[in-house]
Amino acid sequence: MRLIIAEKPSLARAIADALPGAPRKQEGAIAVGDTTVTWCLGHLLEQAPPDAYDPALKQWRLDTLPILPERWKLTPRPKARGQLAAIRKLLKAAREVVHAGDPDREGQLLVQEVIEYLGWKGEVSRLLISDLNRPAVQRALSRLEDNRHHQPLYRAAESRSRADWLYGINLTRAWTLTGRQAGHDGVLSVGRVQTPVLGLVVRRDADIRHFEPRPFFVLWADLRVAGGQLRAWWAPGEGHPLDDQGRLLNRQPAADLAERLPGADGRLVALETQEKRQAAPLPYSLSALQVDAARRYGISAKVVLDTCQALYERHQLITYPRSDCRYLPEEHFAAARGTLESACRDDDTLRGWLAGADFARRSRAWNDGRVGAHHALAPTGRPADTARLTATEANVFRLVARNVLAQFYPPLATRDVKAAFSILDESFRARGQEILDPGWKPLFTTRDDAPPLPPLSEGEGCRVQDAGVEDRETRPPEPFNDASLIKAMMNIGRYVDDPAVKRTLRDHDCLGTEATRASILETLIDRGYLVRQGKALRATRLGSALIASLPEAVSRPERTALWEQRLGAIAEDGAPPAPFLASLVADLRTLLAAADAGRLRQALHGAEGVDAQPPGRTSRRRGPRRATTGSKRRAPRRKESR
């Protein structure tokens, strides 16, 4: 018997449907001819708790930290024991095993750790599926690979899992126990991704809270030129009081000039015209889709992820969604027309967009060199029956289809114009944009950056018709929301100050992964560190206190982004995991030495932020009541999720 082990039941059903023969249901599996397809339920195994290594570690004690397993152990998840037993039985009868985890780091780990845990010693093939449509699955089944080629990916995922355990277990215990000494009755969870994300929000909220608005002033003049009218803005010279962005800080010079301007004549002294062609936005990665869906429809990153999973698994309308890639395989180009015509045929909006597509065009989106383990999100070609979709599912599907359809539209062609006028020996500037060819832009219904200017020619005269001064104030930064925080996690280098670290982040400029970013936000909310206020994500007093009590390096993004770089070297270049984990252990010892009850007490008393609600009560129920080093009371295990 050939045994195929899929990551989840929906993938197993798609594989069984693609095999020749009639499927027969079994306990925890589907048999088709000489092949049996079974499945995991997500992770069937998890890192064993500390007391699996030493029963004494069931008690949370400062003097037992750091906890460093010598030989790592996995343990079945409580709800997975039945399926694990079914796979064990099937493995005993198998002559050949096929690994059919999702085509990413976690997918490689999830199935392979089960195969190794259950003691299979034979050969393993690798089945890579990113599209659940039957033809795509059949093609994948004809292209099985040797699983040994994916060992570096497995070692990277295994190293990530172990490193997260070391980091989360040790720092969470240290800060929870120190927190008890400081008077806080609750678990203080620390993670290598969630805590830097919390740090971003805490620092942004502090910037908003402590922001002091400063007044500045702008002077506008409405000009009559030969071809019509336009509005120009005064550019005050260095002789006036300006801030570092060239804004006028004193109203009087603007007011004095405004009084003299009406009826004054001037001249166009400089004219710059530039024609630009902008290609359509690329097809979506998951994070890019989460950003756009949050902006357009106000839905959270978690809702977008869950919706994509439903479109992929239940409806089979889109390809594998947990992708960090925005490019498509070159072989997909030839079938794109038929795929999109089928996908769009039952939806009025999509049919309208389809009618404008020119399938003779080939954009930069089809590029094998930019496609890794998986490609960008795309329609599978199955017709979208909107009557069977929720409104959110329909909206998200249209976004995915739109960005692929846009690849068959002309570029957006614009003419950007910058004009400089001299009036009363002062400089005034105007800018505008003319759309020469809207290209793909109508699909996106975005606003124009600037209205067009009337026809202009350098040296022509102008006359001021009206002028005025606007009193403005500098504005604080906007609070984070789902879209902006996901975007920050995608481009974390913007929040790094060290130039050397910025350079190293060029190829690994991210915090978290496509599959984890949404869950990280929800975890921070569940643990009472963040709350949603409308669309905004704000830090609670508890979240602010935790960040203030930790060493700065724990709450900054540099560490975890560099972790991803090291894990990338393991996955892509075959680097050994041992130096990475050894470096982490040395780092942990330094961080644990910084746990200080006095600092934490001060942080808790002086914390600023919004009030959290039920999560605080949950934490009190779960945590140990006392936190001295020799505490007799056992603290329950609190799983740390990155």
Side-chain angles (χ1 to χ4, degrees):
M1 176 191 70
R2 178 175 69 164
L3 179 65
I4 300 177
I5 306 176
E7 180 163 331
K8 54 181 76 72
S10 57
L11 179 59
R13 288 193 296 270
I15 294 170
D17 289 344
L19 292 169
R24 305 184 310 278
K25 290 186 178 180
Q26 298 180 349
E27 183 179 354
I30 305 171
V32 187
D34 191 36
T35 298
T36 299
V37 187
T38 187
W39 54 82
C40 301
L41 304 166
H43 280 280
L44 297 182
L45 303 169
E46 62 187 359
Q47 292 294 336
D51 53 275
Y53 299 97
D54 182 348
L57 294 176
K58 203 162 192 175
Q59 295 182 7
W60 288 30
R61 297 168 57 100
L62 288 170
D63 59 358
T64 61
L65 303 180
I67 300 170
L68 306 172
E70 291 185 9
R71 296 189 63 183
W72 288 88
K73 298 179 180 180
L74 295 172
T75 187
R77 291 177 180 261
K79 294 182 179 180
R81 295 183 184 277
Q83 187 61 20
L84 199 63
I87 297 174
R88 186 194 303 273
K89 181 179 179 181
L90 291 166
L91 276 174
K92 291 179 179 178
R95 56 173 170 77
E96 177 186 352
V97 170
V98 179
H99 177 318
D102 282 347
D104 58 14
R105 195 168 71 189
E106 288 306 301
Q108 186 65 34
L109 173 69
L110 191 150
V111 174
Q112 186 164 337
E113 66 184 3
V114 169
I115 293 171
E116 295 191 359
Y117 179 82
L118 295 178
W120 173 260
K121 302 299 182 184
E123 297 294 316
V124 179
S125 300
R126 186 65 165 98
L127 174 60
L128 296 168
I129 296 175
S130 59
D131 183 339
L132 294 186
N133 258 8
R134 183 171 182 171
V137 176
Q138 288 174 328
R139 285 196 300 270
L141 283 164
S142 69
R143 301 172 181 172
L144 294 181
E145 301 179 8
D146 189 332
N147 190 55
R148 286 176 293 190
H149 297 158
H150 300 270
Q151 289 310 292
L153 196 66
Y154 172 65
R155 296 302 171 203
E158 182 182 61
S159 299
R160 193 278 310 152
S161 177
R162 292 174 177 179
D164 278 341
W165 189 96
L166 289 168
Y167 198 81
I169 289 289
N170 284 292
L171 292 184
T172 295
R173 285 196 174 198
W175 256 258
T176 297
L177 294 170
T178 304
R180 299 300 183 273
Q181 296 174 352
H184 176 71
D185 186 18
V187 173
L188 291 175
S189 175
V190 181
R192 62 105 180 176
V193 175
Q194 62 158 297
T195 304
V197 172
L198 175 61
L200 289 176
V201 181
V202 168
R203 284 186 284 273
R204 173 65 61 84
D205 283 358
D207 289 343
I208 295 170
R209 200 160 41 242
H210 301 138
F211 180 81
E212 295 183 2
R214 295 184 179 180
F216 68 97
F217 309 92
V218 296
L219 167 60
W220 53 265
D222 286 341
L223 309 181
R224 165 65 68 179
V225 294
Q229 291 183 335
L230 60 89
R231 176 163 288 189
W233 303 85
W234 181 39
E238 294 181 357
H240 297 289
L242 307 176
D243 67 8
D244 57 359
Q245 296 186 38
R247 294 177 294 208
L248 184 67
L249 301 178
N250 187 332
R251 192 180 198 282
Q252 197 59 48
D256 291 344
L257 180 56
E259 288 185 1
R260 299 189 293 124
L261 279 171
D265 292 325
R267 186 164 299 280
L268 176 58
V269 295
L271 183 64
E272 180 183 337
T273 301
Q274 184 178 14
E275 292 192 3
K276 297 180 180 179
R277 291 171 63 83
Q278 182 180 346
L282 289 166
Y284 283 118
S285 64
L286 174 60
S287 289
L289 177 61
Q290 286 169 323
V291 169
D292 275 6
R295 287 174 174 169
R296 189 176 181 91
Y297 300 113
I299 52 181
S300 72
K302 178 67 163 54
V303 170
V304 177
L305 174 58
D306 291 345
T307 300
C308 285
Q309 284 298 124
L311 291 171
Y312 171 61
E313 295 180 9
R314 187 185 318 139
H315 303 293
Q316 298 183 16
L317 292 175
I318 66 171
T319 57
Y320 179 73
R322 297 178 184 233
S323 172
D324 61 354
C325 178
R326 300 197 67 175
Y327 292 85
L328 295 167
E330 293 173 16
E331 70 171 7
H332 284 203
F333 177 76
R337 179 172 191 155
T339 298
L340 290 169
E341 286 178 344
S342 176
C344 300
R345 75 183 188 196
D346 294 334
D347 183 84
D348 291 343
T349 299
L350 292 176
R351 280 203 308 274
W353 292 342
L354 180 69
D358 176 4
F359 289 99
R361 291 184 174 275
R362 185 186 181 102
S363 82
R364 61 193 175 106
W366 283 271
N367 185 341
D368 287 345
R370 303 296 295 270
V371 174
H374 24 247
H375 56 70
L377 280 68
T380 60
R382 182 182 288 255
D385 182 359
T386 53
R388 298 183 60 190
L389 302 180
T390 66
T392 297
E393 288 171 343
N395 287 334
V396 170
F397 177 72
R398 289 188 188 106
L399 289 180
V400 172
R402 179 199 66 180
N403 272 41
V404 178
L405 280 166
Q407 307 311 307
F408 299 99
Y409 274 69
L412 166 64
T414 60
R415 179 184 292 117
D416 292 352
V417 179
K418 295 179 181 179
F421 296 87
S422 178
I423 308 169
L424 300 180
D425 296 325
E426 295 288 344
S427 178
F428 288 78
R429 295 172 185 165
R431 61 186 304 171
Q433 183 183 81
E434 178 185 358
I435 295 181
L436 304 176
D437 183 345
W440 51 265
K441 194 166 187 177
L443 277 65
F444 290 74
T445 62
T446 55
R447 61 179 179 82
D448 294 337
D449 292 331
L453 296 177
L456 296 170
S457 57
E458 191 167 335
E460 72 172 284
C462 66
R463 173 163 290 184
V464 180
Q465 294 186 305
D466 196 8
V469 179
E470 293 183 5
D471 297 0
R472 298 184 181 179
E473 279 190 338
T474 55
R475 299 175 61 183
E478 293 289 330
F480 278 115
N481 54 36
D482 280 71
S484 59
L485 193 50
I486 290 285
K487 193 169 184 179
M489 295 167 74
M490 293 167 62
N491 302 281
I492 201 63
R494 298 178 185 178
Y495 301 87
V496 171
D497 297 326
D498 187 327
V501 176
K502 274 183 178 287
R503 286 193 295 272
T504 63
L505 290 178
R506 285 173 183 165
D507 297 327
H508 298 271
D509 187 11
C510 59
L511 195 60
T513 67
E514 304 294 320
T516 62
R517 289 181 186 129
S519 64
I520 288 164
L521 302 191
E522 298 305 318
T523 294
L524 289 168
I525 292 170
D526 291 343
R527 291 177 177 170
Y529 299 148
L530 295 182
V531 295
R532 280 198 171 90
Q533 290 187 333
K535 292 183 180 180
L537 291 165
R538 308 304 292 260
T540 63
R541 289 188 178 91
L542 179 60
S544 298
L546 177 59
I547 294 301
S549 71
L550 288 163
E552 186 177 9
V554 177
S555 67
R556 302 287 302 187
E558 288 89 336
R559 178 191 308 273
T560 192
L562 291 173
W563 266 34
E564 287 298 327
Q565 186 181 44
R566 298 285 297 273
L567 292 170
I570 297 170
E572 297 159 19
D573 304 326
F580 165 66
L581 292 173
S583 175
L584 168 63
V585 170
D587 205 12
L588 264 180
R589 295 184 188 278
T590 301
L591 296 174
L592 290 170
D596 180 79
R599 179 177 177 178
L600 185 48
R601 185 181 299 110
Q602 184 178 5
L604 289 165
H605 289 167
E608 295 181 289
V610 299
D611 289 323
Q613 313 224 341
R617 293 197 295 273
T618 301
S619 294
R620 284 195 293 274
R621 285 199 304 271
R622 292 183 180 176
R625 295 188 182 181
R626 296 190 299 167
T628 57
T629 300
S631 175
K632 297 290 185 182
R633 185 174 177 87
R634 175 177 61 87
R637 178 162 48 99
R638 175 77 172 257
K639 193 190 316 182
E640 179 57 27
S641 173
R642 290 190 283 285

